[in-house]
Amino acid sequence: MPDRVTIFDTTLRDGEQSPGATMNTEQKIEVARQLSRLGVDIIEAGFPAASPGDLDAVRRIATEVKGLTVLGLARTSFYDIDAAWEAVQHAEDASIHTFISTSPIHIERKLRKTPDEVIEMARAAVRRCKSYVSKVEFSAEDATRSDWDYLCRIFAAAIEEGATTINIPDTVGYTMPAEYQELLRYVRANTPGIEDIVISVHCHNDLGMATANTLAAIQAGARQVEVTINGIGERAGNTSLEEVVMGLKTRHDLYDDIETGIDATQLVPTSRLVSRMTGISVQPNKAIVGANAFAHEAGIHQDGMLKDRETYEIMTPESVGWEESKLVLGKHSGRAGFNAKLVELGYEVERETLQDLYNRFIALTDRKKTVSDADIIAIVEDNLQRVSGDVIVKLIDWRAASASDGDCEAAVILEINGREREATGRGNGQVDALYTAVDALVDVQPKLEHLHVEAVTSSADAQGSVLTRVRVGDEVYTGQAVSTDIIAASLDSYIQAINRALVARASRTQDQATKREAV
Ligand code: KIV
Ligand code: ZN
């Protein structure tokens, strides 16, 4: 029987800690669904104690996403652990991950505790987690800068209290493959009770070593890897899921045929989805999922490829999801064929949604010569984003014009609370002018924090996917839209973000009114 490595995905927790990667709850659910299609074993859905919004997002993922373990992160405080339990309790398979720092610098300067006090805090935390769930992970934050004997003591204590997984994080991306292997072997040899415990590794990429360290750790006995899609995460990021999975697959000769449950053909669609949802582009030369990962430019390489692909290709683009469609759709495809394509791509939609999507697809075939799988995924996601939630502000019409002097004018007609209103705006580009016109109509002051435009495919007639992030007061709201016209998509996504802000304000006002009535 081949060994198996558990894939623990932390895109929605550590990944979301990437500067600027904040996702709203609907986006997180969409990513979680795709992670389930991809075949990850565990998702760390968030840090429920961080805010009521985080708790709600984890709770919704736990309730709505099936086929995997949903886990919440908690410091050792009971407040955090109780929040994590509240969030994950309805999952098909729920788990809690608790952590505390173990390096001298963290213990002395951050926690201001003694090493023995930290061990007692770890014990109490694991015990509390165990009162809620059977699967408990304990992490020693900054393990790679900790004293090895101390690590063995704290892991033994956590195991005694019932931890089922112990994690050895390289929190600051400091270790190197040989050293990390030695540490793992030391912990395995010197921690009482570790024999039946899953050893997990969690690496950061500060020195660009996250994937190398993770793969080295597997050779030293780690059987769970904590990874993110596209390697997003705190600072330089976390270990990239796609690199570890394809490393194991491609070099199975070195890794004793160790398997994962990942369907590698879902890697590229998942990478695209995460990039669109977070607004963090994938660098073109990124291994596996970058646009150039399978592009051969040099003449010698192209010549070799034409003679035999294996001259320069160690894995095929199709094996990681760059595959072009099996079912080719076009202008004349019917609703049944379109639905079959959705099923092939992993979507099951209601009758009504199918009709909406089909209408958008047919409209797209008028504007675009070839409609690829990526185009269809983009319109499905766009639709899934929109269907949920109330609509306070809606776009009715718009126009925008540029001139050679750089001055742009725009006009928009919006329906706000059922009433049509019109405004004009000027700006240094069409998008700027349109946003100025929208701002004149809404009674909030949105501050645009982020605007990310990405082509869904590489052709000149590609759809553009636009993600906007606006700040209204202390809260940040996102909008996302696709269209063959990036000005239209930019406007649409901005209005979606503002709509979310207005809906949130209306619901707060409603809550306050209910509370007043109750008093
Ligand atoms: O990097 C780290 O140490 C973490 C822990 C919470 C596991 O993210
Ligand atoms: Zn981390």
Side-chain angles (χ1 to χ4, degrees):
M1 261 280 277
D3 243 343
R4 196 167 187 280
V5 165
T6 297
I7 302 293
F8 173 119
D9 182 280
T10 183
T11 306
L12 295 171
R13 200 278 297 169
D14 223 336
E16 216 220 0
Q17 287 173 219
S18 297
T22 322
M23 287 175 260
N24 65 36
T25 303
E26 299 306 324
Q27 290 172 320
K28 287 181 186 173
I29 293 173
E30 198 44 38
V31 170
R33 287 214 174 93
Q34 180 57 27
L35 290 172
S36 171
R37 265 180 229 124
L38 176 65
V40 310
D41 301 287
I42 302 176
I43 41 177
E44 185 162 56
F47 184 10
S51 74
D54 283 46
L55 192 145
D56 185 54
V58 177
R59 188 185 5 232
R60 292 226 9 228
I61 291 168
T63 317
E64 296 175 33
V65 182
K66 302 294 170 202
L68 35 66
T69 304
V70 179
L71 171 149
L73 180 69
R75 286 164 296 197
T76 49
S77 80
F78 286 5
Y79 174 83
D80 277 28
I81 295 168
D82 296 351
W85 167 240
E86 194 185 331
V88 298
Q89 60 182 310
H90 298 297
E92 215 166 58
D93 187 35
S95 178
I96 303 177
H97 174 192
T98 186
F99 72 100
I100 193 160
S101 295
T102 52
S103 62
I105 183 167
H106 279 219
I107 293 180
E108 284 156 28
R109 311 247 180 99
K110 191 177 89 168
L111 301 176
R112 300 205 169 123
K113 301 272 176 204
T114 66
D116 285 344
E117 282 169 338
V118 170
I119 291 184
E120 281 318 304
M121 289 162 80
R123 274 190 186 279
V126 174
R127 224 179 295 135
R128 183 78 167 191
C129 295
K130 277 304 258 199
S131 71
Y132 294 128
V133 289
S134 58
K135 290 185 190 163
V136 174
E137 171 167 334
F138 171 73
S139 282
E141 191 186 6
D142 206 13
T144 52
R145 292 193 299 166
S146 303
D147 176 78
W148 290 11
D149 287 322
Y150 180 66
L151 272 183
C152 296
R153 273 180 64 209
I154 200 163
F155 285 144
I159 293 168
E160 233 176 65
E161 298 297 339
T164 47
T165 299
I166 58 134
N167 182 30
I168 310 178
D170 185 26
T171 304
V172 290
Y174 177 71
T175 198
M176 292 284 157
E179 180 188 62
Y180 203 34
Q181 284 187 325
E182 230 186 291
L183 170 59
L184 258 87
R185 292 191 177 116
Y186 192 86
V187 168
R188 288 180 73 195
N190 295 288
T191 304
I194 203 161
E195 305 70 32
D196 297 324
I197 300 296
V198 178
I199 299 177
S200 181
V201 286
H202 174 116
C203 298
H204 281 266
N205 207 27
D206 299 66
L207 292 172
M209 301 305 290
T211 299
N213 287 334
T214 301
L215 286 168
I218 292 173
Q219 286 176 315
R223 284 299 173 268
Q224 174 173 295
V225 292
E226 305 196 358
V227 289
T228 63
I229 301 296
N230 300 335
I232 62 169
E234 191 79 50
R235 305 181 311 277
N238 287 63
T239 306
S240 132
L241 180 149
E242 56 277 6
E243 291 173 11
V244 171
V245 167
M246 292 316 290
L248 288 176
K249 243 182 190 298
T250 311
R251 296 309 310 272
H252 58 93
D253 53 326
L254 285 183
Y255 293 97
D256 300 328
D257 292 323
I258 288 177
E259 289 180 346
T260 70
I262 296 294
D263 171 1
T265 62
Q266 290 293 322
L267 289 172
V268 170
T270 314
S271 159
R272 286 208 178 118
L273 175 69
V274 169
S275 167
R276 268 202 295 280
M277 294 293 159
T278 56
I280 299 180
S281 328
V282 177
Q283 74 198 57
N285 57 322
K286 167 86 177 61
I288 324 289
V289 294
N292 293 346
F294 292 90
H296 300 272
E297 174 81 21
I300 299 173
H301 289 208
Q302 288 179 350
D303 179 53
M305 285 291 290
L306 290 172
K307 289 175 177 147
D308 183 342
R309 295 187 75 90
E310 281 186 30
T311 50
Y312 288 100
E313 225 168 60
I314 56 167
M315 57 198 153
T316 65
E318 295 79 20
S319 68
V320 297
W322 286 106
E323 183 183 28
E324 274 312 307
S325 175
K326 286 182 222 112
L327 259 169
V328 181
L329 292 187
K331 217 179 186 34
H332 304 293
S333 306
R335 228 169 31 153
F338 178 69
N339 193 30
K341 165 60 75 185
L342 293 185
V343 173
E344 182 188 300
L345 294 173
Y347 296 104
E348 272 177 50
V349 297
E350 308 274 328
R351 229 168 146 32
E352 229 173 86
T353 313
L354 175 64
Q355 188 59 48
D356 285 352
L357 289 171
Y358 182 66
N359 294 345
R360 284 191 72 177
F361 159 71
I362 291 296
L364 188 60
T365 60
D366 279 337
R367 291 173 164 209
K368 212 170 168 286
K369 275 196 262 26
T370 48
V371 176
S372 68
D373 287 1
D375 287 317
I376 294 171
I377 291 169
I379 58 177
V380 175
E381 281 158 14
D382 184 75
N383 193 278
L384 289 173
Q385 286 289 307
R386 274 161 214 277
V387 285
S388 54
D390 301 332
V391 178
I392 292 182
V393 54
K394 192 162 104 187
L395 178 66
I396 302 296
D397 207 353
W398 66 275
R399 117 184 77 80
S402 309
S404 54
D405 61 4
D407 198 19
C408 297
E409 289 177 15
V412 290
I413 303 177
L414 301 181
E415 188 185 294
I416 304 175
N417 284 321
R419 271 189 54 217
E420 271 190 25
R421 303 189 48 206
E422 183 170 356
T424 56
R426 301 180 85 86
N428 60 11
Q430 294 187 19
V431 172
D432 191 31
L434 283 162
Y435 286 9
T436 307
V438 170
D439 291 353
L441 290 177
V442 292
D443 63 346
V444 284
Q445 271 123 36
K447 187 170 167 296
L448 182 67
E449 290 205 330
H450 186 78
L451 175 73
H452 176 85
V453 182
E454 189 177 73
V456 171
T457 52
S458 49
S459 55
D461 61 357
Q463 295 191 93
S465 164
V466 177
L467 180 116
T468 49
R469 195 171 287 133
V470 300
R471 177 172 291 280
V472 177
D474 291 338
E475 301 291 331
V476 172
Y477 301 92
T478 56
Q480 200 227 336
V482 287
S483 168
T484 46
D485 179 342
I486 55 166
I487 306 290
S490 303
L491 177 59
D492 197 2
S493 75
Y494 188 60
I495 291 171
Q496 278 188 52
I498 291 176
N499 184 61
R500 287 199 168 102
L502 295 174
V503 170
R505 187 182 65 181
S507 116
R508 276 196 302 272
T509 314
Q510 174 75 37
D511 281 354
Q512 278 160 5
T514 317
K515 271 189 204 139
R516 266 199 301 276
E517 271 168 34
V519 175

